[in-house]
Amino acid sequence: MDSFAEPQRRQEFTLPEVREQVRRLEDEHRAKGIELSGRIIHVCHYLPFHASLKQQTSAASSSQPGILSPPQTPPTQLGDIPPSPSSEVPPAEAYQQSALDKANDDRWNVSVRYGHSAMVSGIVSLSSTHDEVFVGWTGDIHAAPSSTSINGASTASPQAQAETSRVPTKDITDADKEAYQRVLSSHGDKLLLKDDAIFQPEDGQPGKSIEYAPVWLDDKQAHGHYDGYCKQTLWPLFHYLLWQDVATEYASADQHWASYSAVNEAFAKAVERVYKPGDLIWIHDYHLLLVPNLIRLALPDASVGLFVHTPFPSSEVFRCLPRRKEILDGMLGANLICFQTYSYSRHFTSCCIRVCGYESTARGGIDVQGHVASIAWCPVGVDAERVKGDLARPGIGPKLEALRALYEGKKIIVGRDKLDVVKGVVQKLRAFEKLLQDYPQWVGNVVLIQVTSPALSDSPKLERQVSELVAHINGEYGSLDFIPVHHYHQTIKKDEFYALLSVADLGVITPLRDGMNTTSMEFVIAQDRTNKSPLVLSEFMGISSNMSEAMQINPWNLGEVAAAMHKGLTMGETEKLERHEKLYKVVTTHTSHTWGAHLAKLLLEQLGKSNLARQTPFIPKGTLERHYLSAKKRLFLFDYDGTLAPIVKVPSMATPSDPTLEALTRLTADPKNLVYIISGRDQAFLEQHLGHIKGLGMSAEHGGFIREPGGSAWRNFTENLDMGWMGEVLEIFKYYTERTTGSQIEVKKSSITWHYRSSDPEWGSFQCRQCQDLLENNLARKRPIEVLVGKKNLEVRPLAVNKGEIVKRILYFNPDADFVFCAGDDKTDEDMFRALLLFQSPSSPTSPASPAPAYTPSKVLMQPPLSVTLLAGRDATFAPVELAIEREAVFTTAVGHSSKRTLAVWHVTTPEEVVEHMLGLVALDDGGKSSL
């Protein structure tokens, strides 16, 4: 299917080019009057700082035994992994830094929190062009060691710091929190920039400011959120593991949902406190998937983006999640949702369509009751300049030469992974064994140096499996003077890490699923100074699409991986150089800084689009009641499906509820009220479910037929029109029905509709677009028809018939009406709202079927509409009428999200709210108070 085709690789721009594009967009928006504050709010799970409080506290709370886990910052055990941009485990060096000076406050020791450094680098680099606010959890607060140097720096060892007691959040006073905020405000930027500059301001100009907004969480909720729901449910699921696959005991996917929800609410409130109109908001990763919708509810005008750093699974995996709809609805509160790869974005779109039943737009967004969330993809890069700086460290050279001497005469394959199931270490070892089996010439001539850094929590089964496999390979293919696999289950220092990457003849990275694996990019940069060695890369990584010059493999196909290893080890110098140069250009062009600038650009591009159009306000209770009570004659015009009854999968099941029937009955009982149902349904359905309500007027088939209040006969607006096109449309619809399982045709007297609600959602949507294209580009050009795309349907009707014409007819014959309430939910109802744009200037858009009402500031003179003249005889004449209605008494109301693009003035969210408002109004007539 063409809708699923992988898009062509996008053009890469340099950082100055992206920043220039951002500047142009901002200038264009300001010229159009769109408010921009020049500030970006980033919402992350953690602040990029580790803090300890200089006071005595109670014993540390015991740590919860873990399971297979995603990268955590900081880990429960300190290590000495190098503080490279890809480091997921904070190094000992991070905690050996001197703390901030005591000049401003003597309560806190603060140092940089390593881990997710590429993300932090990209975020902070934006401060060269924008003011920023960094919202994040403080992390666990520990009591600072009692032994400190004169300037406040800790002299305790990393092990001693790791063993310090955790300070419960409830024991941290407001004064302590204020002091921490002061420390971050005065020293945060300096601390981030102290260890290898994260960015250099342009043209020597000083950068913008960075504010930090700590989120203080209850300890139980904080760890239930991360150690519970994030680590035990979401992270396994997003990496194609279910919670029972990784848990050591009975696992409940809902056990920690309350904590996850509460923490997301706390983050949303933190954003609400710091938000200013015109801010751009970016929310990062799977820890905070509910935050976009919570912000949307609190700040409906905010521009919100969500970036998911992890993989996103296919719909068949994601639908196993019990809270699947809550998670998706939370994400869809954003204006823009961005992923690492196109395939992840396609999986997300498929989940929204298949799990929630939402529809995709022509541009690939997701429509949620009128609010459109756009979908994009943009992989994260590394801070290339920082990596280059690290590679120039003087300690790397001696270690590099030592490795060359140790393995002289042998090819070196290097792998460095965290010991997690999804990192594919077992598959890599088995593929290496396959290499020695299939290519025996390598026995004695190649070694695999595999470094596995410990995971956050022990996985004894996996560790034992790896150890046994290493022993097996070494026993089978080794000798007294040759060991094929050198496995080091430990963290290594920065100099050793980069020396290992530099000395390699081949890099092999084989994760089964991974969002961003930066070791591959660091490998390319390291190799630029040495061998220009090739790289074997798993195709199941977020950065694989960008690194197409690597030898991409399926890590489950051991033969393919072994063949790629052999090819890499025997590759000619020319091919190695060509591959390396292309990879090096990608890695050094699309950096973490470029990624950060792209985020700003992508969200700015959404401004002014339908998903950031004007917010339609909620219908005002007091104003509605006041005009209702003062009116002498009132018109109520209702759509049915989606307005008085919710949308259902089987159309015949959309029966009116008891409150709906009560509201309509009581409204029609008042002689001041004239009530119409203006629906796309046929006459039989309306008569079956609503025909018993006396005084209710009805229009069927989108304005094709009308039955006046109190009458029983239906009048046909199409009897004088050429309807010969229906046979041609029916044949086209039959063609697509035969090829779309679950679809059906509904033939009415004035229109014909193809429904695909019961078909496969993605296939049905694809077929709908194909059918629409055929109708619009062939039949509609020759026949007086229009093609309408509805909710899971495609309808063809005469040009002269629509709901707007019925509204004009009702207004024309009731010019003394001084109150109008009109409610609808979909595109066909926009014709009604357009017909009620009575007080617009003559240049405003009008229906092509009939002329616009004459407009003066004080009154509206309405010409006879087509819906009046069609049913009259040839000799009948109709004069213009003057309408009594005033602008403030017209309540056009869209049902759906406030950001829904509509001509209506007001909105409600659900059909139930429409009914509640009507019951509240009729209660006023009974002498009671409104229930609104």
Side-chain angles (χ1 to χ4, degrees):
M1 292 171 55
D2 60 354
S3 60
F4 292 165
E6 188 85 16
Q8 291 184 349
R9 185 168 164 179
R10 70 178 70 192
Q11 181 182 355
E12 293 292 345
F13 294 98
T14 64
L15 180 59
E17 289 173 336
V18 179
R19 286 178 173 170
E20 180 58 32
Q21 292 167 0
V22 170
R23 287 196 190 96
R24 285 201 301 267
L25 282 169
E26 290 177 331
D27 291 342
E28 290 172 6
H29 291 325
R30 290 191 175 102
K32 294 176 182 177
I34 298 175
E35 185 174 13
L36 290 175
S37 67
R39 196 172 74 153
I40 302 176
I41 299 175
H42 289 278
V43 191
C44 304
H45 183 217
Y46 282 105
L47 286 177
F49 304 108
H50 170 80
S52 56
L53 187 61
K54 300 175 184 177
Q55 64 179 33
Q56 297 298 319
T57 65
S58 58
S61 58
S62 59
S63 61
Q64 180 180 351
I67 60 168
L68 175 67
S69 60
Q72 177 178 347
T73 310
T76 53
Q77 299 294 329
L78 297 179
D80 59 350
I81 191 72
S84 66
S86 67
S87 173
E88 298 290 2
V89 183
E93 299 160 52
Y95 298 94
Q96 292 169 343
Q97 297 178 16
S98 61
L100 295 177
D101 291 341
K102 296 174 64 177
N104 292 317
D105 196 277
D106 59 358
R107 300 173 190 248
W108 294 93
N109 282 342
V110 180
S111 58
V112 172
R113 181 192 301 277
Y114 286 97
H116 306 290
S117 298
M119 178 187 75
V120 174
S121 169
I123 290 173
V124 176
S125 71
L126 279 168
S127 65
S128 64
T129 56
H130 294 76
D131 292 324
E132 293 192 285
V133 181
F134 205 126
V135 179
W137 180 39
T138 60
D140 288 328
I141 304 297
H142 291 82
S146 56
S147 56
T148 58
S149 66
I150 295 175
N151 70 350
S154 172
T155 59
S157 67
Q159 290 75 18
Q161 293 188 50
E163 294 167 2
T164 57
S165 59
R166 186 164 53 192
V167 180
T169 303
K170 62 182 179 62
D171 292 345
I172 300 176
T173 66
D174 290 341
D176 291 332
K177 294 177 182 178
E178 292 172 2
Y180 183 58
Q181 182 69 69
R182 287 196 300 270
V183 172
L184 294 184
S185 298
S186 60
H187 292 283
D189 296 1
K190 299 175 185 176
L191 192 61
L192 281 178
L193 301 176
K194 180 179 179 181
D195 180 41
D196 297 331
I198 291 178
F199 71 90
Q200 294 294 331
E202 293 182 339
D203 303 324
Q205 298 298 318
K208 305 286 186 176
S209 66
I210 305 179
E211 300 175 30
Y212 301 95
V215 179
W216 299 91
L217 299 175
D218 173 80
D219 293 316
K220 184 177 180 181
Q221 286 185 342
H223 289 277
H225 163 260
Y226 184 76
D227 298 320
Y229 201 77
C230 289
K231 187 168 71 172
Q232 298 178 19
T233 300
L234 289 182
W235 187 86
L237 184 79
F238 283 11
H239 290 79
Y240 286 75
L241 300 170
L242 297 184
W243 37 94
Q244 70 268 17
D245 296 332
V246 295
T248 54
E249 55 188 33
Y250 172 74
S252 169
D254 260 358
Q255 181 180 353
H256 299 286
W257 171 255
S259 295
Y260 186 82
S261 180
V263 167
N264 275 253
E265 289 177 6
F267 270 84
K269 290 177 181 176
V271 174
E272 189 177 352
R273 287 192 293 268
V274 301
Y275 176 78
K276 296 177 183 178
D279 285 351
L280 303 179
I281 302 173
W282 269 105
I283 300 158
H284 293 269
D285 224 0
Y286 67 101
H287 316 88
L288 305 172
L289 297 180
L290 303 182
V291 173
N293 195 48
L294 294 170
I295 293 177
R296 175 69 50 223
L297 296 174
L299 305 169
D301 294 330
S303 305
V304 182
L306 170 67
F307 192 93
V308 182
H309 292 258
T310 62
F312 199 88
S314 71
S315 59
E316 289 303 304
V317 173
F318 186 84
R319 70 193 312 161
C320 298
L321 185 66
R323 299 286 180 170
R324 58 194 187 182
K325 190 174 188 303
E326 290 91 334
I327 293 292
L328 291 176
D329 283 341
M331 298 173 70
L332 289 167
N335 302 106
L336 175 66
I337 304 169
C338 197
F339 297 87
Q340 294 268 12
T341 71
Y342 169 75
S343 61
Y344 298 163
S345 69
R346 182 167 61 82
H347 291 164
F348 174 76
T349 300
S350 180
C351 286
C352 294
I353 294 172
R354 293 180 177 277
V355 175
C356 295
Y358 297 138
E359 294 191 37
S360 62
T361 65
R363 294 186 177 183
I366 300 297
D367 189 333
V368 184
Q369 296 182 335
H371 167 71
V372 177
S374 296
I375 312 297
W377 55 279
C378 179
V380 183
V382 295
D383 187 343
E385 294 303 316
R386 185 172 182 175
V387 175
K388 291 177 185 178
D390 286 339
L391 286 164
R393 291 161 62 104
I396 294 178
K399 291 181 172 58
L400 175 62
E401 294 304 321
L403 287 169
R404 281 177 174 165
L406 182 62
Y407 299 105
E408 186 178 3
K410 296 179 177 62
K411 294 285 189 178
I412 302 173
I413 300 176
V414 167
R416 177 258 182 183
D417 308 272
K418 186 181 291 296
L419 193 59
D420 278 338
V421 170
V422 296
K423 297 301 182 181
V425 176
V426 170
Q427 285 73 16
K428 185 190 302 184
L429 291 170
R430 288 175 175 164
F432 182 70
E433 181 183 15
K434 183 72 170 172
L435 172 72
L436 300 179
Q437 287 177 352
D438 293 353
Y439 306 93
Q441 65 268 33
W442 288 114
V443 176
N445 293 309
V446 65
V447 295
L448 169 63
I449 304 176
Q450 175 64 49
V451 178
T452 54
S453 55
L456 299 178
S457 53
D458 293 335
S459 179
K461 180 180 178 181
L462 179 61
E463 189 173 346
R464 183 173 61 251
Q465 186 180 11
V466 170
S467 297
E468 291 175 353
L469 190 51
V470 169
H472 164 72
I473 296 172
N474 287 339
E476 186 73 19
Y477 298 96
S479 62
L480 291 176
D481 59 350
F482 172 65
I483 301 175
V485 180
H486 296 252
H487 176 225
Y488 302 96
H489 183 52
Q490 64 188 64
T491 54
I492 58 176
K493 295 181 180 180
K494 178 181 285 190
D495 291 353
E496 295 172 337
F497 173 67
Y498 284 118
L500 194 61
L501 294 185
S502 300
V503 78
D505 295 295
L506 181 68
V508 180
I509 302 173
T510 57
L512 308 181
R513 292 286 166 184
D514 214 347
M516 179 195 180
N517 185 302
T518 52
T519 301
S520 58
M521 291 180 269
E522 292 171 310
F523 176 86
V524 172
I525 298 173
Q527 284 292 318
D528 191 59
R529 294 170 174 258
T530 53
N531 306 328
K532 312 292 190 295
S533 298
L535 179 65
V536 175
L537 202 62
S538 168
E539 65 188 55
F540 300 121
M541 298 167 59
I543 47 89
S544 296
S545 59
N546 258 22
M547 304 185 71
S548 57
E549 297 304 319
M551 292 179 287
Q552 299 196 9
I553 47 84
N554 176 358
W556 296 100
N557 187 338
L558 303 184
E560 181 185 10
V561 181
M565 289 181 180
H566 175 71
K567 179 180 178 181
L569 293 171
T570 58
M571 187 177 292
E573 293 299 321
T574 302
E575 184 179 355
K576 283 169 58 175
L577 183 60
E578 289 177 355
R579 287 176 177 267
H580 172 79
E581 287 179 345
K582 292 178 181 178
L583 285 173
Y584 186 78
K585 182 179 179 181
V586 170
V587 170
T588 55
T589 301
H590 188 83
T591 65
S592 58
H593 296 190
T594 313
W595 167 78
H598 266 297
L599 293 190
K601 175 191 170 186
L602 288 170
L603 196 50
L604 284 168
E605 288 175 340
Q606 301 305 312
L607 292 174
K609 291 186 179 180
S610 60
N611 57 344
L612 278 173
R614 71 172 182 89
Q615 302 292 317
T616 307
F618 196 81
I619 191 166
K621 167 189 171 184
T623 306
L624 181 68
E625 291 179 348
R626 184 173 67 255
H627 284 280
Y628 177 84
L629 290 173
S630 63
K632 296 178 181 178
K633 186 173 186 178
R634 314 173 186 122
L635 297 181
F636 289 90
L637 312 172
F638 300 105
D639 173 44
Y640 182 75
D641 290 286
T643 302
L644 294 179
I647 299 292
V648 294
K649 194 165 188 177
V650 181
S652 61
M653 300 299 292
T655 57
S657 64
D658 291 339
T660 300
L661 294 174
E662 178 190 354
L664 292 175
T665 302
R666 295 176 67 182
L667 281 173
T668 54
D670 189 333
K672 291 184 178 181
N673 298 339
L674 194 61
V675 185
Y676 276 86
I677 303 296
I678 305 176
S679 173
R681 296 281 188 165
D682 59 21
Q683 302 104 296
F685 180 92
L686 295 178
E687 285 185 335
Q688 177 186 354
H689 296 288
L690 302 172
H692 63 283
I693 301 177
K694 296 181 179 179
L696 178 65
M698 293 184 285
S699 174
E701 300 190 20
H702 296 299
F705 297 84
I706 190 168
R707 196 188 83 171
E708 302 292 348
S712 58
W714 290 87
R715 305 191 68 182
N716 185 358
F717 288 99
T718 64
E719 59 187 9
N720 296 326
L721 299 177
D722 176 14
M723 302 298 288
W725 51 266
M726 291 190 71
E728 298 175 66
V729 173
L730 181 61
E731 290 302 314
I732 294 174
F733 279 172
K734 284 181 178 179
Y735 174 87
Y736 282 94
T737 302
E738 292 171 358
R739 288 155 179 79
T740 311
T741 304
S743 64
Q744 59 183 6
I745 302 171
E746 181 184 9
V747 180
K748 304 174 186 176
K749 294 180 180 178
S750 65
S751 64
I752 182 168
T753 306
W754 182 65
H755 297 275
Y756 61 92
R757 185 171 297 278
S758 297
S759 66
D760 179 271
E762 291 175 285
W763 176 244
S765 178
F766 173 78
Q767 290 288 77
C768 177
R769 289 193 295 270
Q770 297 294 309
C771 184
Q772 178 190 4
D773 181 69
L774 177 62
L775 290 167
E776 289 179 341
N777 292 315
N778 291 276
L779 195 59
R781 296 188 177 190
K782 300 179 290 184
R783 296 288 196 166
I785 60 174
E786 61 179 336
V787 182
L788 300 174
V789 180
K791 295 180 177 178
K792 303 291 184 182
N793 65 65
L794 189 65
E795 181 176 15
V796 182
R797 70 184 187 189
L799 273 173
V801 174
N802 60 65
K803 291 183 177 183
E805 286 299 318
I806 294 297
V807 170
K808 291 177 184 178
R809 175 186 174 87
I810 295 170
L811 276 176
Y812 184 83
F813 286 123
N814 297 277
D816 54 336
D818 51 359
F819 174 91
V820 176
F821 181 90
C822 178
D825 73 303
D826 67 12
K827 295 176 184 177
T828 62
D829 300 316
E830 294 298 313
D831 291 329
M832 295 198 294
F833 302 149
R834 185 177 290 105
L836 290 169
L837 293 175
L838 303 171
F839 297 92
Q840 302 296 315
S841 63
S843 61
S844 298
T846 59
S847 170
S850 60
Y855 164 79
T856 67
S858 58
K859 63 181 180 179
V860 174
L861 192 65
M862 187 175 192
Q863 300 295 328
L866 187 62
S867 52
V868 171
T869 58
L870 269 179
L871 295 182
R874 292 184 177 180
D875 297 332
T877 59
F878 296 93
V881 297
E882 184 178 319
L883 303 182
I885 193 74
E886 296 180 354
R887 181 195 299 266
E888 293 76 14
V890 178
F891 293 87
T892 50
T893 307
V895 182
H897 199 278
S898 63
S899 65
K900 182 177 186 175
R901 196 176 187 90
T902 178
L903 295 173
V905 177
W906 309 106
H907 97 100
V908 295
T909 306
T910 63
E912 290 76 15
E913 290 177 352
V914 176
V915 176
E916 289 172 6
H917 276 75
M918 296 307 101
L919 289 174
L921 292 178
V922 295
L924 295 173
D925 285 332
D926 295 340
K929 290 186 176 182
S930 169
S931 60
L932 294 177

